[in-house]
Amino acid sequence: MSYFPNVEPIRFEGPESASPLAFRHYDADKIILGKPMREHLRMGACYWHTFVWPGSDVFGAGTFKRPWHAAGEPLAMAHKKADAAFEFFSKLGIDYYTFHDTDVAPEGASLAEYRNNFAEMVDVLERKQEQTGVRLLWGTANCFSNPRFAAGAASNPNPELFAYAAAQVFSAMNATQRLGGANYVLWGGREGYETLLNTDLKREREQLARFMRMVVDHKYKIGFKGTILIEPKPQEPTKHQYDYDSATVYGFLKQYGLEQEIKVNIEANHATLAGHSFQHEIATAASLGILGSIDANRGDPQNGWDTDQFPNSVEEMTLATYEILKAGGFTTGGYNFDSKVRRQSLDEIDLFHGHVGAMDVLALSLERAAGMIENDVLAKFKAERYAGWDGQFGRDVLAGNFSLADVAEYAFSKQLNPQAVSGRQEMLENLVNRAIYK
């Protein structure tokens, strides 16, 4: 059966198209800076919000009545969900997808059931990928939803919970390897604390580090060529998450000697919840050498929680894509739509509307960012602003050739009297706006 019988494959029709189900800007094979759009963006659709979430929130039950959500034997319904997912991916024309282990297979009542169910569905996903050509951007394990993980997974005070989480990550990593996944993500959904009255911070950080080292070791053991990623998120759902933002994650990795092994998967909505801009988090990760992949979405500026709306700001996404291009572009990473339609968007076709619009936003943002790269006035301005550090004195200071006393003596002997120089912020903002809204 078809789950989307009234939807034809989405096509590129150009900026003049009036069709709500056509791409106006995403022309997959259009060459931008020497590569097709699809290779720059590497866009993926997520399994969880798109095919698992029933439209519920903390104040009300699910509003969706998807055919694959109907009552039935759980494994049989998982097969139907996979049918719906790959029909959707194919008609949307998206190249990648992402999943948690318990998105694609019933968790079951025991680890044995979990393993059997997941193994059966990995067989299904492998066949679907072969039939459609859709690839896996990344896999991960859901070690946060089940009540057993209320006190965390790797950071849990009970080592048996640590072992249970290890069993899930072991299974999900093996599945990701088999399915040709480009990355494996570790999201510490409940790796944090609610109160310090019952928390040993040092112990829990050491447990997390041991878990991550085991993950890295297993990557090499199974020959996984992809990238291991951590997805930073502040506060929600615990009061304080250990993976607060990119800088916090880097400090953790550096402390435990993992900074060469693990990168970050940055989510736009998580960045803003941490009090940063999306652009800031990407630029920070790039400067630290840990930029890996992106979850593309947005929050609501009036809401203080993770709303996971589809990205719709060309301005925000242009600045984000500019930073990614400046860092060399994606290697194994990409733009995953960790986004969900609103509870009132009841019809299956609304899933297409959300993704089509977001894919167009990313495509237009890529074109605008590429234009900024081709005539990179920002880079020229920065080079001029920091030019003094490229001179002999600046190079000597940074090379460690001068002590504090030496630098002070230089200032006294030269009778330095430096003056403030304009940063030209408004001019640069105007130039960016001209590039975006040309």
Side-chain angles (χ1 to χ4, degrees):
M1 64 173 289
S2 171
Y3 290 91
F4 308 97
N6 298 320
V7 178
E8 296 296 324
I10 310 300
R11 307 294 184 196
F12 171 72
E13 294 184 4
E16 305 306 316
S17 175
S19 171
L21 289 180
F23 293 124
R24 301 174 71 245
H25 301 287
Y26 180 55
D27 184 0
D29 296 316
K30 182 177 180 179
I31 302 300
I32 304 290
L33 298 179
K35 288 198 307 188
M37 268 191 177
R38 69 192 326 145
E39 291 183 18
H40 276 291
L41 297 172
R42 293 170 57 85
M43 291 185 288
C46 77
Y47 223 100
W48 52 99
H49 289 326
T50 313
F51 300 101
V52 179
W53 184 53
S56 59
D57 65 17
V58 294
F59 299 107
T63 56
F64 304 153
K65 295 180 173 59
R66 313 293 193 213
W68 55 89
H69 289 168
E73 193 277 321
L75 200 52
M77 296 311 297
H79 280 260
K80 292 184 177 181
K81 184 165 55 178
D83 290 341
F86 278 85
E87 180 185 349
F88 176 81
F89 302 149
S90 298
K91 286 187 172 180
L92 182 62
I94 203 162
D95 291 332
Y96 294 93
Y97 74 109
T98 55
F99 68 78
H100 298 85
D101 51 354
T102 56
D103 296 335
V104 298
E107 187 170 2
S110 67
L111 272 177
E113 284 189 24
Y114 162 84
R115 172 179 280 182
N116 292 337
N117 291 344
F118 193 31
E120 179 170 330
M121 290 310 301
V122 169
D123 289 343
V124 171
L125 297 179
E126 188 173 52
R127 290 196 298 271
K128 295 287 188 184
Q129 289 184 195
E130 291 172 355
Q131 292 165 2
T132 63
V134 178
R135 292 166 285 171
L136 180 62
L137 185 62
W138 51 258
T140 188
N142 182 336
C143 297
F144 49 88
S145 291
N146 193 294
R148 68 170 58 90
F149 295 122
S155 61
N156 199 285
N158 182 351
E160 292 188 355
L161 262 294
F162 182 103
Y164 198 102
Q168 282 191 238
V169 171
F170 170 84
S171 301
M173 286 186 73
N174 291 348
T176 300
Q177 161 79 339
R178 178 177 162 191
L179 294 171
N183 309 272
Y184 183 82
V185 170
L186 296 162
W187 183 51
R190 297 193 187 275
E191 308 294 17
Y193 65 82
E194 301 289 352
T195 174
L196 286 172
L197 300 179
N198 64 8
T199 301
D200 186 329
L201 284 175
K202 184 174 186 295
R203 182 187 292 273
E204 291 197 359
R205 285 171 59 86
E206 289 174 348
Q207 289 174 210
L208 272 170
R210 179 87 287 273
F211 196 95
M212 291 177 189
R213 172 52 64 185
M214 292 163 59
V215 167
V216 169
D217 290 346
H218 188 64
K219 165 188 170 174
Y220 290 112
K221 182 177 180 180
I222 63 176
F224 180 54
K225 303 300 183 185
T227 305
I228 303 297
L229 303 169
I230 290 176
E231 183 172 328
K233 184 178 183 182
Q235 291 138 346
E236 187 183 274
T238 63
K239 175 182 177 180
H240 186 93
Q241 294 281 129
Y242 295 130
D243 50 6
Y244 191 90
D245 60 8
S246 293
T248 303
V249 169
Y250 180 78
F252 179 91
L253 296 175
K254 186 73 174 177
Q255 179 182 0
Y256 293 103
L258 293 164
E259 72 276 11
Q260 300 299 320
E261 301 288 357
I262 300 176
K263 298 184 184 297
V264 288
N265 181 67
I266 297 170
E267 178 175 315
N269 204 173
H270 294 177
T272 52
L273 288 172
H276 305 308
S277 68
F278 188 28
Q279 180 188 15
H280 163 88
E281 278 293 88
I282 294 172
T284 298
S287 72
L288 295 170
I290 57 169
L291 177 60
S293 195
I294 299 295
D295 270 7
N297 58 22
R298 77 182 198 276
D300 187 312
Q302 278 77 53
N303 288 343
W305 61 86
D306 196 7
T307 56
D308 286 328
Q309 294 168 253
F310 283 93
N312 68 353
S313 169
V314 173
E315 178 179 356
E316 180 179 40
M317 300 311 295
T318 295
L319 292 173
T321 305
Y322 172 80
E323 297 294 343
I324 292 168
L325 292 175
K326 291 289 287 185
F330 291 123
T331 53
T332 60
Y335 270 120
N336 172 55
F337 292 117
D338 186 4
S339 311
K340 57 190 177 187
V341 297
R342 301 298 88 192
R343 291 181 76 235
Q344 296 181 51
S345 297
L346 304 178
D347 300 332
E348 285 78 50
I349 199 170
D350 291 317
L351 298 172
F352 283 94
H353 290 304
H355 284 84
V356 167
M359 292 169 76
D360 262 350
V361 165
L362 288 191
L364 185 54
S365 299
L366 171 64
E367 291 199 86
R368 297 299 185 255
M372 290 172 61
I373 293 288
E374 289 172 326
N375 180 26
D376 204 341
V377 294
L378 298 183
K380 293 174 185 175
F381 185 87
K382 290 177 185 179
E384 292 172 2
R385 190 172 184 226
Y386 292 94
W389 287 99
D390 296 325
Q392 189 61 52
F393 173 66
R395 294 200 306 272
D396 283 342
V397 171
L398 293 178
N401 296 333
F402 290 159
S403 68
L404 182 64
D406 294 333
V407 175
E409 177 57 31
Y410 178 89
F412 290 131
S413 65
K414 298 289 186 181
Q415 298 186 37
L416 298 183
N417 185 27
Q419 303 299 308
V421 177
S422 176
R424 297 279 189 268
Q425 179 175 334
E426 291 74 20
M427 179 193 76
L428 297 174
E429 289 171 342
N430 291 344
L431 291 174
V432 169
N433 280 341
R434 290 176 188 175
I436 294 173
Y437 299 108
K438 62 182 181 180

